[in-house]
Amino acid sequence: MRPKLTLKQIARELDVSISTVSKALKDSPEIGEDTKQKIKAFAKLYNYKPNNIALSLKNRKTKTIGIIIPEIVHYFFTTVISGVEQVANEKGYNVIVCLSNNSFDREVLNLDLLANGSTDGFILSLAKETMQKEDYHHLTEVINQGMPVVLFDRVVDEVHCDKVIIDDIIGAKKAVEHLIETGCKKIGILTTVDYVSVGKLRTRGYIEALEENDYPVDEDLILKIEDMENSEKEIGEFLKTRDVDGLFAVNEQFAVSAIGALRRQGRNVPEDVSVVGFTDGELSKNFIPSLTTVSQHGTRMGAEAAHLLIDKLERKPDEVESYKTVIVETSLVRRESTKN
Amino acid sequence: MRPKLTLKQIARELDVSISTVSKALKDSPEIGEDTKQKIKAFAKLYNYKPNNIALSLKNRKTKTIGIIIPEIVHYFFTTVISGVEQVANEKGYNVIVCLSNNSFDREVLNLDLLANGSTDGFILSLAKETMQKEDYHHLTEVINQGMPVVLFDRVVDEVHCDKVIIDDIIGAKKAVEHLIETGCKKIGILTTVDYVSVGKLRTRGYIEALEENDYPVDEDLILKIEDMENSEKEIGEFLKTRDVDGLFAVNEQFAVSAIGALRRQGRNVPEDVSVVGFTDGELSKNFIPSLTTVSQHGTRMGAEAAHLLIDKLERKPDEVESYKTVIVETSLVRRESTKN
DNA sequence: TTTCAACACGCAAACGTTTTCGGACGTTGG
DNA sequence: CCAACGTCCGAAAACGTTTGCGTGTTGAAA
């Protein structure tokens, strides 16, 4: 077992000073050609690589960005991570991933931990619990200390920072309008409770789309699901007494649960009921029938977030502070669960 | 914007030395009660937290573990990450995630980067390209430098380190035996090319199960798929000319593709053909019919890997070196795609 | 021969900690 | 009255870098 090589060891070995070694390796003109060659050869031979931690300490930057998400076993979030990773890597940054598990405490804990020197900045999507508590002091604190933060997907006005979101309302409208265009007359929605911001917004898009097309908005056709565990049963009950011919689900899960329930009730998709989902994940692509859905382009969101963050990190200190929020467009992917 | 507080600043502010502050905050008996109180109060008031980077440099350990996986938009890997994260967090470690995108070069790059001080050890699953090249010098190098490494899922004998795998052969046998028990007479397999170790092993399990039950092994019923992009078509072609009544797919994707193809050919699952998959992901759970499948228990694998790694990290230096490989049992999850 | 660049290199500080050692001071005991 | 000891604290080194500046040596110009 050969431990890592340091400048000091090279210096001792070659009988020069540490600074000479450092400068030689950086090809400084201060050092004589032959000395440089000797040192470089030695370093290459023994595969010297500078210690990142020491560099971080010296430079006061770590070249790593932290990303905190509510859960990782989740298609959308993985695509976002993928996007972040890609551009971070291009720019020479590492990505350190933490999970809040939708818990406020874990979010605070992770943030605190990473804020103490481990990361140069954060990309994060708020935990459900955090949004319920409406307590964002941990974020404002970190931002106050001069750490750039980019919020994505689950964002909140109270925190002043860059943001990356999708046009949830417009996305939902696209979905509902597609249902309308393909001839649906009675359109229901499967959504979440209102404190989940995206659920709320998508519901709003649903309502707006109906109103703009002079469809009546029937509260009885709106199902707000709180308990994800029992969503399947709840959806089944709901559909049993609603003779909708179009259905907008705010996520994949709800969409496939609905299709399953409908089929058990002898109703076919899309012949009797058209269904549109949200999030273009594995399920949407592979389900039978494959799902017409609103794609969120998670990878692009991640990439945008990473760009925003890195821009802030590499900004000259004299530039003026300003917060952007970029909106990544959604697009409707037409497949087999709706008519056309 | 208030920058981070350091020991030095506290010292200056309270007119004591840096070492006094450090000791006071660690409740050292060397420091007088009143001084301690004063310092602690100040530190708490201004929310002092020690700088992790400085600590890492001093202690020569970072308390973070690196995990390098081929891809992240993949159910199995996310469950593994989730497992790693969980126990890492319990033990006070951070997790930094890197993606190799199945590329050898990226794997080497990431490993090199993280090996230079950023991480105390690695958990990784080999890139497909790496397994093709059979070049593992980057790993042996890192291991030689004294960094613990734990390989999982896609492992390889040439690298000497701890490993976490599943009993792919036994898992596959469980699947095939279940098909046999439920009355299938002619069982095919949809698998990958042999250099993907798990594919190879699962194929072997398939063959062994057949042999042990005195079923003939018919090469014509074995489809080895190279190109994941066109798997759907390939599977369709294959099934068109095989009148199997049982099918074992080595992943979810192949399983649902098969079911789709069969249905288009007028064959019902499970009435005409029973199908068993591998990996208990979103697809298996939500597909209609839901998939009977072999669960890999990714979370448990991740947890095991993390435990192995942390044990090595916190081992006293005089303990003897030894490499374990733990096998996480698979289990068959019976659902609707097979008879019972 | 003296003077002065130019060159090649080393010293030391800094980043923020922890920890060992020793020093100053006051108290106690003989 | 002095030695010994205890209490409380500070100086300094160390982790591995980078970098401004100082210094010694050389060679050439004056």
Side-chain angles (χ1 to χ4, degrees):
Chain A
M1 189 188 94
R2 162 174 52 91
K4 290 242 53 157
L5 198 58
T6 71
L7 287 185
K8 190 190 286 195
Q9 294 170 36
I10 301 183
R12 197 184 317 137
E13 210 69 33
L14 262 42
D15 213 51
V16 290
S17 81
I18 295 179
S19 37
T20 303
V21 178
S22 175
K23 288 170 186 167
L25 291 177
K26 315 209 89 180
D27 220 15
S28 157
E30 276 187 67
I31 307 298
E33 259 326 305
D34 40 355
T35 322
K36 266 199 259 188
Q37 290 314 321
K38 189 178 61 177
I39 292 176
K40 282 190 194 170
F42 188 92
K44 172 164 262 177
L45 178 60
Y46 292 103
N47 193 28
Y48 168 79
K49 298 266 176 57
N51 180 308
N52 286 329
I53 295 292
L55 284 179
S56 295
L57 185 58
K58 183 117 209 12
N59 302 331
R60 253 93 81 66
K61 54 175 66 174
T62 61
K63 280 279 190 178
T64 93
I65 83 189
I67 163 165
I68 303 180
I69 52 176
E71 42 185 331
I72 197 170
V73 188
H74 191 299
Y75 182 83
F76 170 64
F77 286 124
T78 62
T79 58
V80 174
I81 295 181
S82 181
V84 171
E85 241 273 342
Q86 218 168 289
V87 345
N89 246 279
E90 276 171 23
K91 306 264 185 174
Y93 283 77
N94 271 321
V95 177
I96 153 165
V97 175
C98 286
L99 312 181
S100 64
N101 279 322
N102 272 318
S103 139
F104 174 76
D105 290 338
R106 293 264 322 223
E107 188 174 287
V108 174
L109 218 73
N110 279 322
L111 203 67
D112 271 3
L113 204 68
L114 297 189
N116 293 114
S118 306
T119 356
D120 294 341
F122 289 100
I123 292 177
L124 72 77
S125 186
L126 294 171
K128 210 180 287 179
E129 215 181 272
T130 307
M131 304 197 69
Q132 276 180 74
K133 291 184 90 152
E134 301 188 350
D135 183 349
Y136 312 114
H137 74 269
H138 51 306
L139 287 169
T140 54
E141 178 125 342
V142 161
I143 293 173
N144 264 337
Q145 287 178 2
M147 288 215 131
V149 170
V150 179
L151 248 37
F152 76 91
D153 196 53
R154 300 206 200 142
V155 308
V156 102
D157 288 336
E158 287 91 326
V159 182
H160 298 284
C161 64
D162 285 334
K163 286 160 196 166
V164 178
I165 53 176
I166 58 167
D167 48 346
D168 274 295
I169 297 183
I170 299 181
K173 281 171 81 170
K174 283 181 188 167
V176 176
E177 277 161 7
H178 176 246
L179 287 172
I180 292 176
E181 282 164 15
T182 56
C184 297
K185 296 300 172 198
K186 202 165 172 191
I187 301 170
I189 180 174
L190 307 174
T191 183
T192 62
V193 285
D194 277 346
Y195 63 75
V196 179
S197 64
V198 298
K200 187 174 176 179
L201 292 174
R202 290 171 197 171
T203 307
R204 196 157 120 212
Y206 160 80
I207 292 175
E208 285 184 15
L210 292 184
E211 285 172 346
E212 286 172 16
N213 286 275
D214 297 322
Y215 273 54
V217 176
D218 184 353
E219 284 291 336
D220 193 49
L221 297 183
I222 299 177
L223 175 61
K224 294 188 181 176
I225 297 165
E226 166 117 39
D227 180 11
M228 292 299 283
E229 304 303 314
N230 286 321
S231 59
E232 186 124 21
K233 258 171 261 168
E234 225 175 308
I235 292 173
E237 298 293 324
F238 175 81
L239 289 175
K240 212 169 280 175
T241 54
R242 271 63 169 196
D243 65 331
V244 294
D245 58 357
L247 214 41
F248 170 47
V250 300
N251 59 40
E252 282 187 327
Q253 198 74 36
F254 291 174
V256 303
S257 292
I259 295 180
L262 287 170
R263 193 170 300 169
R264 276 191 295 280
Q265 295 168 20
R267 301 199 259 177
N268 290 322
V269 175
E271 292 79 6
D272 302 323
V273 184
S274 290
V275 177
V276 182
F278 216 106
T279 299
D280 190 24
E282 293 300 320
L283 263 178
S284 302
K285 290 171 191 153
N286 292 293
F287 201 74
I288 301 180
S290 58
L291 261 50
T292 293
T293 193
V294 179
S295 171
Q296 303 178 75
H297 303 295
T299 314
R300 210 181 303 164
M301 288 183 74
E304 288 285 355
H307 273 126
L308 282 176
L309 188 66
I310 294 177
D311 278 356
K312 275 263 154 56
L313 289 176
E314 300 186 343
R315 189 188 51 162
K316 302 282 169 288
D318 53 331
E319 284 174 41
V320 285
E321 192 79 46
S322 79
Y323 296 125
K324 286 177 241 169
T325 118
V326 351
I327 298 175
V328 174
E329 270 200 40
T330 54
S331 52
L332 189 77
V333 181
R334 289 159 206 238
R335 294 213 185 84
E336 302 164 355
S337 66
T338 55
K339 293 171 250 181
N340 58 355
Chain B
M1 189 188 96
R2 163 174 52 92
K4 291 243 51 158
L5 198 58
T6 71
L7 287 185
K8 192 190 286 196
Q9 295 169 36
I10 301 184
R12 196 183 319 136
E13 210 68 34
L14 262 43
D15 213 50
V16 293
S17 79
I18 295 180
S19 35
T20 303
V21 179
S22 175
K23 288 171 189 165
L25 292 178
K26 317 208 87 180
D27 220 15
S28 157
E30 276 186 63
I31 307 298
E33 255 333 299
D34 38 356
T35 322
K36 266 200 258 187
Q37 290 315 322
K38 188 179 58 176
I39 293 176
K40 282 191 194 169
F42 189 92
K44 171 163 263 177
L45 178 60
Y46 292 102
N47 193 28
Y48 169 78
K49 299 267 177 55
N51 180 308
N52 286 328
I53 296 291
L55 283 179
S56 295
L57 184 59
K58 181 117 209 19
N59 302 332
R60 254 96 77 69
K61 53 174 66 172
T62 62
K63 280 280 191 175
T64 93
I65 82 188
I67 165 163
I68 302 180
I69 53 176
E71 41 184 333
I72 197 169
V73 188
H74 190 300
Y75 183 82
F76 171 65
F77 286 123
T78 61
T79 58
V80 174
I81 295 181
S82 180
V84 171
E85 241 273 341
Q86 218 168 291
V87 344
N89 245 280
E90 276 171 23
K91 306 263 187 173
Y93 284 78
N94 272 322
V95 177
I96 153 165
V97 174
C98 285
L99 311 181
S100 64
N101 279 323
N102 272 317
S103 140
F104 174 75
D105 290 337
R106 294 262 325 221
E107 188 173 289
V108 174
L109 217 74
N110 280 322
L111 204 66
D112 270 4
L113 203 68
L114 297 188
N116 293 115
S118 307
T119 1
D120 295 341
F122 289 101
I123 293 177
L124 71 78
S125 186
L126 294 170
K128 211 181 285 179
E129 214 181 274
T130 307
M131 304 198 71
Q132 276 180 74
K133 290 185 89 151
E134 301 188 350
D135 182 351
Y136 313 114
H137 74 270
H138 52 305
L139 286 169
T140 55
E141 178 124 344
V142 161
I143 293 173
N144 265 336
Q145 288 179 2
M147 285 216 132
V149 170
V150 179
L151 248 37
F152 76 91
D153 195 54
R154 300 208 200 140
V155 308
V156 101
D157 287 337
E158 286 91 325
V159 182
H160 299 284
C161 64
D162 286 334
K163 285 159 198 165
V164 178
I165 52 176
I166 58 166
D167 48 346
D168 275 293
I169 298 182
I170 300 181
K173 282 170 81 168
K174 282 181 188 167
V176 176
E177 277 161 7
H178 176 247
L179 287 172
I180 292 175
E181 282 165 14
T182 55
C184 297
K185 296 301 172 199
K186 203 166 173 192
I187 300 170
I189 180 174
L190 306 175
T191 184
T192 63
V193 285
D194 277 347
Y195 63 75
V196 179
S197 64
V198 298
K200 187 174 177 178
L201 291 174
R202 289 170 198 173
T203 307
R204 195 155 122 215
Y206 160 80
I207 293 175
E208 285 185 15
L210 291 184
E211 284 172 346
E212 285 171 17
N213 287 275
D214 298 321
Y215 274 53
V217 176
D218 184 353
E219 285 291 336
D220 192 49
L221 297 183
I222 299 178
L223 175 62
K224 294 188 180 175
I225 296 164
E226 166 117 39
D227 180 11
M228 293 298 283
E229 304 304 314
N230 286 320
S231 59
E232 186 123 22
K233 261 172 260 170
E234 228 175 308
I235 291 173
E237 298 293 323
F238 175 81
L239 288 176
K240 213 169 279 178
T241 53
R242 270 70 169 190
D243 65 330
V244 294
D245 59 358
L247 213 43
F248 170 46
V250 300
N251 59 40
E252 282 187 328
Q253 197 74 38
F254 291 174
V256 303
S257 294
I259 294 179
L262 287 170
R263 193 170 302 168
R264 275 191 296 278
Q265 295 168 20
R267 302 198 258 175
N268 291 322
V269 175
E271 292 78 6
D272 302 323
V273 185
S274 290
V275 177
V276 182
F278 217 107
T279 298
D280 190 24
E282 292 301 320
L283 262 178
S284 303
K285 289 171 192 153
N286 292 293
F287 202 75
I288 301 179
S290 58
L291 260 51
T292 294
T293 192
V294 179
S295 170
Q296 303 179 74
H297 302 297
T299 314
R300 209 182 304 164
M301 289 183 74
E304 289 284 354
H307 273 128
L308 283 175
L309 188 66
I310 293 177
D311 279 357
K312 275 262 153 57
L313 289 176
E314 300 186 343
R315 189 188 51 161
K316 302 282 167 291
D318 53 331
E319 284 175 40
V320 284
E321 193 79 44
S322 79
Y323 296 124
K324 286 176 238 169
T325 117
V326 351
I327 297 175
V328 173
E329 270 201 41
T330 55
S331 52
L332 189 78
V333 181
R334 290 161 205 236
R335 294 215 184 83
E336 303 166 354
S337 66
T338 56
K339 293 171 250 181
N340 59 353

